[in-house]
Amino acid sequence: TGTPLTVAVGEWLDAKKKLGDIPVAVAVGYYLQHRPDKLTRTTVKDAAALYFAEEMKPGEVSAVHIRRVKGVVSRFASDFSKFMDEVGSDAVKEWVDHLKGINYQQSKKNRVPKPLGPRTRKNHLNILSAFFNWAKVKKIVPKAFDELECIERPRVVAPDPQPWQPAEMVKLLAAADDDFKPYVFIRGFAGVRADEAMRMTWDMVGQDHIRLPASVTKTKGGRVIPLAENLKAWIADYGQRRGRI
């Protein structure tokens, strides 16, 4: 290679001293796989801004998804003042485990920050995984970067779905104002998911059916829901409304 033998031996001894029991060949292989010299080293904050600009475009992604992703990634970026490739799995897991949130469906007096449940923590980790997978494509982190993948996801046990009982519907309708009642009607009598109902607009409601486009549904496949007679009667007074349900 043209390197004097004494220099080569000196470099090898220095490498062994720094690597300890790790073989030099293993360290070289790791370096070639990660190639920091080929990366665009970017802070978490700057990467988040670029991610939002490229991947969270209104019209291409639902407003609900954009709000959810920006909420998680922005909070993560504010707490991790480092380069993307410096983020470690232990730090991410500790961050997620110690997050607290507020349940806005509770009454105001009960709205106190509480640790996130397993489903919410799992969703946070999945959102961050998508963020770092995008960073791999952009060569912000190495392709072999697996700090998010090696975090064990919380186990989520889904409860059996329970339909609203008549007495519960009476209480909901008694407490709801006129603007909120259509949401209750459609959730209660059409079986529309909560996130889907939040994205619905009045032009999706016909005389005999609800037509949900792919952009609204959880499964990203449109579907048609027949209107039950009682639902037709309930929403008859709202037929002239436009915009969001």
Side-chain angles (χ1 to χ4, degrees):
T1 63
T3 303
L5 180 60
T6 54
V7 175
V9 171
E11 290 179 347
W12 184 87
L13 290 173
D14 183 56
K16 283 299 296 179
K17 182 179 179 180
K18 293 177 179 177
L19 291 170
D21 295 334
I22 302 174
V24 174
V26 172
V28 171
Y30 181 87
Y31 173 85
L32 292 175
Q33 189 177 27
H34 287 73
R35 293 302 301 271
D37 58 313
K38 297 294 183 180
L39 298 178
T40 305
R41 295 200 79 204
T42 308
T43 63
V44 177
K45 181 180 178 180
D46 289 342
L50 185 59
Y51 182 56
F52 297 155
E54 291 191 359
E55 301 297 321
M56 299 293 119
K57 297 178 180 178
E60 296 182 7
V61 185
S62 73
V64 172
H65 182 69
I66 292 175
R67 184 169 63 250
R68 186 173 296 156
V69 170
K70 283 190 172 182
V72 174
V73 176
S74 295
R75 192 172 180 180
F76 181 77
S78 68
D79 291 339
F80 281 77
S81 301
K82 55 178 62 180
F83 288 102
M84 289 282 283
D85 59 334
E86 295 176 338
V87 174
S89 58
D90 290 342
V92 175
K93 185 178 186 305
E94 183 179 3
W95 180 78
V96 172
D97 287 345
H98 286 83
L99 284 178
K100 292 185 177 181
I102 296 175
N103 184 355
Y104 288 96
Q105 294 181 346
Q106 294 181 331
S107 60
K108 288 185 177 181
K109 65 178 181 180
N110 293 325
R111 290 179 186 174
V112 294
K114 294 182 180 180
L116 303 181
R119 183 184 298 278
T120 304
R121 284 186 281 121
K122 181 179 180 180
N123 290 341
H124 276 49
L125 288 171
N126 289 341
I127 287 172
L128 292 176
S129 288
F131 174 43
F132 277 88
N133 284 337
W134 165 85
K136 290 180 187 180
V137 176
K138 295 296 178 179
K139 295 184 178 180
I140 293 173
V141 297
K143 286 186 178 181
F145 187 92
D146 63 354
E147 296 297 318
L148 273 293
E149 284 79 357
C150 68
I151 300 175
E152 185 176 357
R153 283 357 185 209
R155 185 169 178 268
V156 178
V157 179
D160 293 333
Q162 299 293 330
W164 287 343
Q165 299 300 312
E168 293 174 320
M169 284 294 295
V170 170
K171 289 182 179 179
L172 283 169
L173 293 173
D177 58 29
D178 284 342
D179 289 333
F180 189 66
K181 281 181 179 178
Y183 173 86
V184 178
F185 299 149
I186 290 170
R187 288 288 321 282
F189 299 121
V192 176
R193 296 182 178 94
D195 283 354
E196 294 172 343
M198 290 174 64
R199 300 184 193 117
M200 283 182 60
T201 54
W202 279 104
D203 61 329
M204 299 175 192
V205 182
Q207 292 185 343
D208 299 305
H209 61 266
I210 293 173
R211 185 178 297 276
L212 298 179
S215 60
V216 167
T217 63
K218 179 180 179 180
T219 58
K220 301 305 178 185
R223 72 178 191 274
V224 175
I225 304 171
L227 289 181
E229 293 302 320
N230 59 345
L231 180 54
K232 290 181 183 180
W234 277 111
I235 64 175
D237 293 338
Y238 299 87
Q240 301 305 313
R241 292 203 175 190
R242 297 291 181 269
R244 293 274 183 180
I245 295 293

